[in-house]
């Protein structure tokens, strides 16, 4: 387990489309373990693999209420409603912005063993899921924000 360096906005790796995970091997386990250490240390709500320089469809989300999640090859199956609120990103240090997101999402993903799962998220959890999934397609919240300011 190790803390990985977080790539900052301006680096091209954050603008790439990530590849699906095909083998649930040792390298994936190490990536997931390191992402956990890194997001906990940084006290982030989530982290996507491209933020540590890895172009794979892997995200982690760490919620005070719902708990800690690992999503591999995640896909949003359905979304409902809308919420507008403040968001930040570990790759955009010192800033926050106002972004509209769905209020609820239904997500299909694989866990670290490769097993397929479905999950429903709402409120801030749904916001975090949408934010992290955007990273997998090279999208940052600042692309969608109606307002961004320095903290
Ligand atoms: Co982010």
């Amino acid at each position: 387990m190790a803390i990985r360096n977080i790539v900052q906005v301006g680096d091209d790796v954050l603008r790439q489309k990530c590849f699906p995970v095909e083998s649930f091997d040792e390298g994936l386990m190490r990536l997931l373990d390191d992402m956990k250490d890194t997001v906990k240390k940084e006290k982030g709500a989530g982290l996507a693999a491209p933020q540590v320089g890895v172009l794979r469809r892997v995200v982690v989300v760490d919620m005070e209420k719902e708990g800690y999640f690992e999503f591999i090859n995640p896909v949003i199956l359905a979304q409902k409603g809308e919420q507008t609120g403040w968001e930040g990103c570990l790759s955009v240090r010192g800033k926050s912005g106002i972004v509209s997101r769905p209020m609820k999402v239904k997500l299909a993903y694989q866990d670290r063993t490769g097993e397929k799962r479905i999950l429903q998220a709402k409120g801030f959890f749904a916001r975090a899921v949408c934010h992290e999934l955007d990273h997998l397609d090279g999208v940052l919240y600042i692309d969608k924000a109606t307002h961004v300011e320095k903290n």
Side-chain angles (χ1 to χ4, degrees):
M1 310 256 280
I3 306 290
R4 297 209 188 183
N5 197 35
I6 298 178
V7 173
Q8 293 299 303
V9 62
D11 192 315
D12 192 52
V13 78
L14 293 174
R15 295 306 192 173
Q16 307 293 311
K17 196 171 163 67
C18 295
F19 301 97
V21 170
E22 280 157 8
S23 51
F24 291 74
D25 57 10
E26 194 81 356
L28 178 67
M29 302 310 129
R30 196 160 39 230
L31 173 66
L32 287 165
D33 291 345
D34 289 356
M35 285 174 71
K36 184 173 187 176
D37 283 355
T38 307
V39 78
K40 295 271 184 195
K41 187 203 165 225
E42 298 286 346
K43 296 180 170 60
L47 188 67
Q51 292 183 275
V52 294
V54 177
L55 291 176
R56 289 287 171 185
R57 304 192 78 82
V58 174
V59 310
V60 299
V61 172
D62 192 15
M63 294 287 100
E64 246 172 61
K65 201 169 83 182
E66 292 87 352
Y68 185 81
F69 297 86
E70 297 173 339
F71 301 131
I72 297 150
N73 299 327
V75 178
I76 290 174
L77 300 176
Q79 57 183 62
K80 215 173 174 180
E82 194 184 62
Q83 57 176 319
T84 300
W86 290 94
E87 223 166 272
C89 179
L90 295 174
S91 292
V92 188
R93 298 256 188 222
K95 287 183 179 174
S96 321
I98 294 177
V99 188
S100 289
R101 300 285 189 186
M103 183 54 82
K104 291 181 180 177
V105 293
K106 185 177 177 186
L107 188 72
Y109 67 99
Q110 286 167 278
D111 67 17
R112 65 159 66 203
T113 70
E115 192 170 329
K116 290 183 176 171
R117 294 177 177 274
I118 302 275
L119 172 134
Q120 316 238 29
K122 63 178 181 184
F124 187 66
F125 188 18
R127 172 180 295 281
V129 165
C130 292
H131 175 116
E132 298 312 330
L133 263 66
D134 273 352
H135 275 296
L136 303 181
D137 294 314
V139 175
L140 299 176
Y141 86 84
I142 49 175
D143 306 339
K144 295 183 166 179
T146 54
H147 175 78
V148 178
E149 64 179 48
K150 288 186 180 174
N151 292 342

